Amino acid sequence: MNNKRSEQDMQEIHHLYLVQAKEEPPKSVDAEILALARKRSVPQATTQASKKSGRSPWIWSSAASVLLIVGLSLYWPELQKPAIDGPAMPEPVLMRSPEPMGATEQEALADMPAPSVQKKLRVSSEPGMMKSAEPAADNAMLEIQGMRKQAIMDNTELVQALQRLSTLVEQGKLADARVEYQALAETMARLPKEDPRRVRYEDLGKLLNQ
Amino acid sequence: MQLSMALANAADSGGSDEQLMLDYAAGDSGAFEQLYLKHKGPLYRYFVRQIGDRPLAEDLYQETWSRVIKAAAGYQPQAKFTTWLYRIAHNLLVDHVRAVKPVDLFTEVQTDNDSPDIGADEGEPGVSLEEEQKAGLLKECVSLLPQVQKEAFLLNCETGFPARVIAEIVGVSLEASKSRIRYAYQSLKECVASKWEASRE
């Protein structure tokens, strides 16, 4: 009974409310809101379109960058050499050379053919001589670098050197030929056994030893 | 008959508003216009009846629609459009009035510019003079309600939201929402009766 009466009261109030609920926003406010809605709907449509087409330039620019890098590395292969070739390796050692040489660094230098350099390195690593030995170690490292660079001869130099050695052997100047032979030893050791230059070098060596 | 029922269902169903909003997000500004015309009156009165300052009410009303427009691109119909719309409106109202009047929230009520003129006999067709007069008294009584009851009453009356949806919009429990609605109607009934009696004497 109470609920029914309450329901009737609510309906009556609701009805009375609707009788006077007539306020509407001013026309100018309506116009502003609708204008804003129209203005916003156009950029949304164009933005969605530009998002779709906007993906292609990104892909194309990435692809172009990759092609450029690959093209450059193919065109100038020597750009990659420092990262591959062994001789560049001692350079970081040079930067740390004021400290005594570590085992690893000494191992890296162990295959160096020049006895004078080895001697210098031994001197520089002796305790008690550290201070005075520092410049000597630096010089030794520079010398190693120079020798390594020398050891990696280019093909023309190598052919010329072999030609000189061959001429010396033919002329019987064996002492000079042996010096030249020794100078080429390291470079030749790096070449494959079947390399014609190494084969010729070894043939000349056999003639020298006869 | 079937057509009119279908139209009524379409108007009442939550789906049509959401679809209009999605259409607007897809670039159809006509869809927004339909949505706007459908909801502009109730939303406008939601602000005007709660804030005595009409320019401020209009600003908040405009800001609500502006936010709807801005949010349209990312709109996802997870809730009913009207729930979302009035949640924006409620948050704006609370934030704004809190910023302007941090202590005395919503105490500004409609001034007597809109107060009913009991003696006036200009009326709506189909509405009796007594109803017109009582409706005017009700308007005054609504402005005297405590803010939380006023908001619950307006949401219920203007939009037909049940207590559950009102609870969701204003962020209170279902029980609190039911209680606010019940007390609001009760207070309004007593207020109108009292004022009506006073006017008759």
Side-chain angles (χ1 to χ4, degrees), chain A residues 9-10 12-17 19-26 29-30 32-33 37 40-41 44, chain B residues 24-25 29 32 36 40 44-45 49 58 61-62 65 69 124 131 135 138-139 153-154 157-158 185 189:
Chain A
D9 289 349
M10 284 179 81
E12 187 188 342
I13 294 295
H14 191 256
H15 173 72
L16 288 177
Y17 179 83
V19 167
Q20 47 79 52
K22 291 184 177 63
E23 300 98 324
E24 292 281 328
V29 173
D30 287 348
E32 276 181 44
I33 291 167
R40 282 267 172 172
S41 73
Q44 278 168 20
Chain B
Y24 172 60
S29 59
F32 180 82
Y36 179 75
K40 69 171 189 167
Y44 182 73
R45 289 189 289 277
R49 295 293 173 91
E58 283 174 11
Y61 168 80
Q62 207 159 346
W65 284 110
I69 291 165
E124 290 277 312
E131 273 183 332
L138 176 68
K139 193 173 181 179
F153 170 76
L154 289 170
C157 248
E158 284 287 355
Y185 276 97
K189 172 76 179 166

Side-chain angles (χ1 to χ4, degrees), chain B:
Chain B
M1 181 64 182
Q2 278 184 336
L3 179 65
S4 62
M5 279 179 69
L7 285 171
N9 285 339
D12 290 342
S13 70
S16 61
D17 284 348
E18 286 78 54
Q19 190 53 54
L20 286 171
M21 194 61 190
L22 290 171
D23 289 347
Y24 172 60
D28 178 5
S29 59
F32 180 82
E33 199 164 339
Q34 285 183 55
L35 205 56
Y36 179 75
L37 292 173
K38 189 174 170 185
H39 297 290
K40 69 171 189 167
L43 184 66
Y44 182 73
R45 289 189 289 277
Y46 168 82
F47 283 115
V48 166
R49 295 293 173 91
Q50 291 187 81
I51 306 171
D53 183 352
R54 198 172 280 246
L56 173 60
E58 283 174 11
D59 283 350
L60 293 178
Y61 168 80
Q62 207 159 346
E63 180 59 23
T64 304
W65 284 110
S66 173
R67 291 196 183 190
V68 169
I69 291 165
K70 283 175 191 166
Y75 176 74
Q76 295 290 326
Q78 288 163 347
K80 278 186 76 175
F81 170 77
T82 43
T83 308
W84 179 59
L85 176 70
Y86 280 90
R87 183 128 186 96
I88 294 171
H90 168 79
N91 289 340
L92 271 174
L93 190 69
V94 169
D95 290 349
H96 193 87
V97 178
R98 190 177 287 157
V100 174
K101 301 184 81 178
V103 179
D104 191 10
L105 283 182
F106 301 107
T107 49
E108 266 187 283
V109 293
Q110 287 204 289
T111 53
D112 287 334
N113 293 338
D114 297 328
S115 64
D117 182 1
I118 302 293
D121 61 355
E122 54 186 68
E124 290 277 312
V127 180
S128 69
L129 181 62
E130 187 180 321
E131 273 183 332
E132 281 272 355
Q133 290 171 345
K134 281 186 177 176
L137 292 172
L138 176 68
K139 193 173 181 179
E140 199 180 327
C141 289
V142 169
S143 71
L144 298 173
L145 281 176
Q147 169 53 31
V148 290
Q149 289 180 27
K150 192 192 300 180
E151 187 177 32
F153 170 76
L154 289 170
L155 286 169
N156 180 259
C157 248
E158 284 287 355
T159 62
F161 284 144
R164 179 184 54 78
V165 176
I166 294 170
E168 196 182 327
I169 289 168
V170 302
V172 295
S173 69
L174 178 60
E175 284 308 311
S177 177
K178 280 179 179 174
S179 169
R180 286 175 186 185
I181 294 167
R182 190 171 60 247
Y183 280 121
Y185 276 97
Q186 201 176 316
S187 300
L188 289 171
K189 172 76 179 166
E190 289 167 7
C191 175
V192 171
S194 160
K195 283 184 181 287
W196 178 252
E197 286 301 318
S199 73
R200 304 294 290 172
E201 286 172 0

